[in-house]
Amino acid sequence: MQKPEIKAAVESILKGKHIVLGITGGIAAYKSVTLLRLLVKAGAEVQVVITPAGKEFITPVTLSSLSGKPVVSEFFTANTGEWHSHVDLGLWADLMVIAPATASTIGKMANGIADNMLVTTYLSAKEHVMIAPAMDLDMMAHPSTVRNLATLESYGVEIIEPAAGELASHLMGKGRMEEPENIFSRIERFFMKQCDMLGKKVAITAGPTYEKLDPVRFIGNYSSGKMGFALAEECAARGAEVTLVCGPVSLQTANPNIHRIDVESAEEMLEASREPFANADMGIFAAAVADYRPESRAESKLKREGVEEMSLRLVKNPDIAATLASVKREGQLFVGFALETDNAHANALGKLRKKNLDMVVLNSLQDKGAGFGTDTNKVTILRKDGTERSFPLKSKREVAADIIAEILS
Ligand code: PMT
């Protein structure tokens, strides 16, 4: 029997997913309404893109009412001149589904004929694409359709085979678009396959800590939180339930499976992290925690008048990673980061051992594009068993995927 948390995760697999639903000009377009309703009901955000011919079969008003978004069809909105960016749509989508896909659209997709918004969006799509062909049996069997479908398959497009039955022409044969409920199941299965962390609990620290001097000043660092947030999004996208304990950052989380706890100081971060890390299957310490804090904090703003010099007395902050990893349970896996400027490798190894971690992700400020604030990072992952692996400069999201792949392996 499925554990309750896995059952809940499966049920919410489409929640917050971005899906582009492409509709082309075939009689089966009416079935797309059912598919759209199923997707929206399951919590997906759906952007409908329809071809000019598609609008002859189903009205954009019906589709926009159900999706809650204006339907995109043309490159420009006629009265305002607003440009619709197929590139942005292609990047936004976690999945593109074209249902129904006519012989004409399939031909254009296979041959790069980008004369409408739907085909240009397909050509810009970065994520997986599924098509549900629908046409008359002779069109379906025509060598050009067969060849175009094979071409699309070779590009990685998933073809949802049409069923056999009575067609719009009243002929019997293969060409009926697959039922919307079955297309919906295929979509669920696609996202399920990506969820290799379903049922896993992950706790992550991210961002800087601010250690207050007075009500207006603090000791802090340059961490933006981007690395920790990328890890949180990656884990959540793979089905994990994530708790993200973060210092002061200006980032937003996108995935509803991320439970965010905002803190300011290292002491607050430690307290907020105790329970999530104790309950987690995996813990990742990506925060840049201030090692010291002012011994005392002024209640009112410190004044400069008559003060020529000022000394600050600092006391040591708790080491969050070391504290929580010292009570690590059997089966838990804890990963730290090491941000270094010199003797990077030796220092990272020292942290791995001293903090009782299973893995350390080393990033060095000597590497251009790595570390604080950037959208990229360059890391070497050191494991407790003595093995290590270096990666080239990548986006922080890709680095997050590499780290998770290492953890899961
Ligand atoms: O947030 P970004 O702008 O995206 O930048 C990302 C990052 C550079 C902050 C991140 O990739 C990173 O390296 N985080 C760890 C930074 C750091 O504090 O490194 P450290 O070598 O000082 O600490 C070693 C490990 O102990 C880290 O996992 C750290 O989170 C943890 N630590 C350190 C001190 C402390 N008091 N408590 C801790 O938990």
Side-chain angles (χ1 to χ4, degrees):
M1 218 178 77
Q2 243 174 14
K3 282 188 188 167
E5 63 269 24
I6 296 188
K7 193 165 174 279
V10 171
E11 278 165 6
S12 65
I13 203 98
L14 286 175
K15 211 167 152 198
K17 291 285 187 297
H18 293 172
I19 298 175
V20 169
L21 175 60
I23 301 177
T24 69
I27 188 72
Y30 78 92
K31 291 190 191 173
S32 320
V33 175
T34 307
L35 177 59
L36 174 59
R37 279 190 55 222
L38 289 169
L39 292 170
V40 171
K41 199 160 161 241
E45 265 191 65
V46 186
Q47 175 61 63
V48 176
V49 182
I50 192 165
T51 60
K55 286 193 282 187
E56 303 293 331
F57 290 86
I58 185 104
T59 75
V61 178
T62 307
L63 299 163
S64 63
S65 311
L66 289 172
S67 69
K69 290 181 193 296
V71 169
V72 176
S73 181
E74 313 298 334
F75 292 107
F76 297 93
T77 302
N79 51 349
T80 62
E82 185 196 352
W83 183 57
H84 301 136
S85 170
H86 53 89
V87 178
D88 287 352
L89 259 184
L91 291 173
W92 173 85
D94 297 314
L95 174 70
M96 181 170 187
V97 185
I98 303 176
T102 56
S104 161
T105 293
I106 290 168
K108 287 179 185 179
M109 288 167 70
N111 294 287
I113 300 169
D115 67 349
N116 65 39
M117 189 64 190
L118 179 53
V119 181
T120 47
T121 304
Y122 158 68
L123 292 175
S124 304
K126 291 262 179 284
E127 298 297 337
H128 193 61
V129 179
M130 290 180 184
I131 63 168
M135 63 195 80
D136 208 49
L137 75 164
D138 294 320
M139 292 172 83
M140 191 69 208
H142 195 279
S144 68
T145 309
V146 173
R147 190 193 55 220
N148 288 332
L149 283 171
T151 303
L152 288 181
E153 213 159 12
S154 75
Y155 296 159
V157 173
E158 184 176 337
I159 317 287
I160 302 173
E161 285 294 321
E166 189 182 353
L167 303 168
S169 58
H170 302 300
L171 293 171
M172 296 293 284
K174 189 176 168 183
R176 279 172 69 93
M177 187 177 94
E178 183 55 283
E179 292 307 316
E181 291 76 8
N182 294 341
I183 299 176
F184 178 76
S185 300
R186 286 281 277 264
I187 294 171
E188 275 189 319
R189 277 210 298 280
F190 164 74
F191 284 113
M192 284 286 292
K193 267 196 262 161
Q194 297 185 328
C195 285
D196 50 0
M197 295 180 80
L198 211 58
K200 294 260 181 279
K201 287 191 176 147
V202 183
I204 300 173
T205 66
T209 64
Y210 285 1
E211 311 297 330
K212 267 196 176 133
L213 285 166
D214 70 8
V216 296
R217 303 178 184 92
F218 59 85
I219 297 175
N221 60 63
Y222 296 112
S223 171
S224 62
K226 285 180 184 172
M227 191 64 247
F229 274 60
L231 280 157
E233 294 292 349
E234 180 65 23
C235 292
R238 294 166 89 143
E241 194 188 310
V242 181
T243 304
L244 177 65
V245 184
C246 56
V249 293
S250 54
L251 301 175
Q252 302 293 325
T253 52
N255 194 304
N257 287 335
I258 302 174
H259 169 56
R260 171 178 176 163
I261 305 175
D262 288 283
V263 297
E264 191 168 295
S265 66
E267 285 179 307
E268 285 170 15
M269 189 174 272
L270 173 60
E271 286 319 307
S273 298
R274 283 188 197 278
E275 201 186 309
F277 277 79
N279 294 330
D281 300 291
M282 293 167 204
I284 307 177
F285 302 95
V289 184
D291 286 321
Y292 294 89
R293 67 177 183 278
E295 186 178 44
S296 59
R297 185 207 302 168
E299 290 304 325
S300 311
K301 185 180 173 188
L302 294 168
K303 294 290 178 196
R304 65 204 290 260
E305 288 78 23
V307 183
E308 288 314 310
E309 279 185 14
M310 186 181 279
S311 300
L312 268 182
R313 212 179 134 69
L314 302 177
V315 293
K316 215 166 188 177
N317 262 333
D319 187 316
I320 300 169
T323 307
L324 300 181
S326 70
V327 289
K328 199 168 41 153
R329 281 183 289 109
E330 178 79 27
Q332 282 188 308
L333 194 139
F334 281 5
V335 180
F337 272 75
L339 178 64
E340 304 295 341
T341 52
D342 311 287
N343 296 327
H345 197 266
N347 286 336
L349 266 184
K351 285 172 188 172
L352 178 73
R353 292 195 191 109
K354 265 191 254 155
K355 299 190 189 216
N356 191 31
L357 298 167
D358 300 285
M359 235 179 241
V360 158
V361 182
L362 163 64
N363 43 190
S364 167
L365 291 181
Q366 304 280 12
D367 290 321
K368 202 163 176 286
F372 285 135
T374 51
D375 290 324
T376 52
N377 208 354
K378 183 169 182 294
V379 303
T380 297
I381 300 179
L382 291 82
R383 290 164 171 261
K384 201 165 66 172
D385 64 9
T387 56
E388 59 180 69
R389 204 163 156 208
S390 295
F391 296 84
L393 189 74
K394 295 185 179 191
S395 73
K396 281 188 172 160
R397 184 61 188 260
E398 287 169 323
V399 171
D402 288 339
I403 295 169
I404 300 308
E406 282 292 308
I407 294 175
L408 296 180
S409 75

